[in-house]
Amino acid sequence: MASLESDSPAYTMAVRQFEIAAKRLDLDRDVIARLRKPDRAYIVSVPTRLDDGTVHVFTGYRVQHNDILGPFKGGIRYHPDVNLGEVSALAMWMTWKCSLAGLPFGGAKGGVACDPTRLSRQELQAMTRRYTAEIRNIIGPEVDVPAPDMGTNEQVMVWILDTYSQHRGHVVPGVVTGKPVEMGGTVGRREATGRGVVYLVAEAAEHLKLDLSRCTATVQGFGNVGSVSAVELAKLGIKIIGVSDRTGGFYDPKGLPVDGLLQYVSQNPELAGCPYGEPISNAELLELPCDILVPAALGMQITGENAGRLKCRILAEGANGPTTLEADEILRQKQVFVIPDILANAGGVIVSYFEWVQDLQNLFWSETEVIRGLKRILTKAFHEVLDLSQKEKTDMRLAALMIGIRRVASAMHWRGLYP
Ligand code: NAD
């Protein structure tokens, strides 16, 4: 595990955040030692026949950080940079996120190091099915429940469901969340993360006494989380002045047409070539003057190098781990109001929890019920975090981590150490 820590900036960052919060909570030394490391980390080879007849062996991961509060839960990422350290960091953040939202889940994450944009549908399906077969003994509705993350979607979830079900001999809808509604998914899951981000932006604006109808926003990443965030921000009357994806960004100080952008990405694989606004780079996008910045792509985008040049008032972290520790310090001094990832993007796992409950009960909810539940849980968590940050005179990230970690540590004391 020592090499895992030193090999990955993301894991080093997650552990450091944990240590800062654990110190503030005055946690027991033995509890700290246990929570610094995942319960289990799996690395699997995923041999996949490509369309040209050759076989490529991809590397897949599933890291289960902690299941003291319930079955492991966490997304599966397909991206070239996926590695054991990054997946371990994401799994640890899932533990704190589920705990902060009060969900009966532990934290896990998985992924395959690949570029899904360069694989055909058949190759993606073959790789997904083999990856599922390799991890089938460690997932399941009562054990570990994957969901979509960057580079995966509802189709990938159905391939996982089908492969797992073929091995079990019967259909097991509760093995994954983020499924299409026809396959035991829940209404409102696809939109849940972006919607949640924007509910919390509204809460933050009320706290800061900002008039949202006069605000501007920029969004980095125009996939599931980024595009839904842009749509929901626009519904509140916020002007979206910049968006980007991995091919670059577009900027218009008068506002970009969100419907037009959505239509463009429905007909094209990426934003590249989009006819709206002026082209800008991802680095420029982050530094645009705006009221609200939503990073909704990769981790470690806001660093000690560029944080000083950010001009937003609210930073709503749709992505996981977009802000480094050095950047946090700078943002604190600049009084940027940060809605930290484990709070801001928790809408996804909250509605995944609703989906899992519905699958286990074979009883399905209306969209109104889903939205009401999502808002209730997120708003409560936001105010708990805000109250603690004011009481302890900390930033929102440290307060959110403290609440998430404290619940896990308390459960560990109840359960004790086996044997
Ligand atoms: P996605 O695959 O649907 O979209 C990712 C987007 O990011 C794409 O538009 C892609 O082009 C863009 N991107 C990739 N590399 C980039 C780069 N270097 N610069 C700028 N943009 C880049 O993924 P998603 O599900 O929207 O996830 C985005 C982030 O949100 C991830 O950090 C993920 O962990 C986090 N998240 C997702 C969910 C969920 O429910 N999907 C829940 C919680 C957190």
Side-chain angles (χ1 to χ4, degrees), residues 5 8 14 85 94 121 172 174 229 244 249 288 293 302 304 332 417:
E5 284 170 56
S8 158
M94 280 306 292
R121 183 183 161 86
V172 188
S229 298
S244 71
L288 288 175
L293 170 61
I302 300 160
R332 241 190 321 272
L417 180 63

Side-chain angles (χ1 to χ4, degrees), residues 371-402:
I371 289 179
R372 194 190 302 135
L374 172 63
K375 255 191 186 156
R376 181 176 50 79
I377 296 178
L378 273 181
T379 311
K380 179 168 171 276
F382 178 87
H383 286 286
E384 276 176 19
V385 172
L386 184 62
D387 289 351
L388 186 69
S389 78
Q390 288 172 337
K391 191 167 140 229
E392 294 279 329
K393 300 195 178 7
T394 69
D395 59 25
M396 291 283 283
R397 186 182 319 283
L398 181 53
L401 287 166
M402 285 168 71

Side-chain angles (χ1 to χ4, degrees), residues 39-40 62-75 91 94-99 102-109 138-147 164 174-177 349 352-353 356-357 360 408 415:
D39 284 0
R40 297 182 200 96
R62 186 73 185 167
V63 175
Q64 299 175 330
H65 174 255
N66 185 280
D67 68 346
I68 207 93
L69 294 174
F72 295 106
K73 185 90 192 78
M94 280 306 292
T95 303
W96 316 144
K97 191 185 300 182
C98 293
S99 167
L103 306 180
F105 284 134
K109 204 80 178 190
I138 57 158
I139 60 172
E142 288 160 358
V143 187
D144 183 351
V145 187
Y164 183 83
V175 65
V176 283
T177 58
V349 73
S352 273
Y353 164 60
W356 179 76
V357 167
L360 295 185
V408 173
R415 284 180 61 166

Side-chain angles (χ1 to χ4, degrees), residues 77 148-151 189 193 220-225 245-246 282 296-298 318-320 345:
R77 179 175 286 198
D149 189 76
M150 187 179 269
R189 172 61 185 89
T193 309
Q220 185 193 47
F222 207 69
N224 174 298
V225 180
D245 70 6
R246 66 189 195 104
N282 262 293
L298 293 172
N320 284 305
N345 68 38

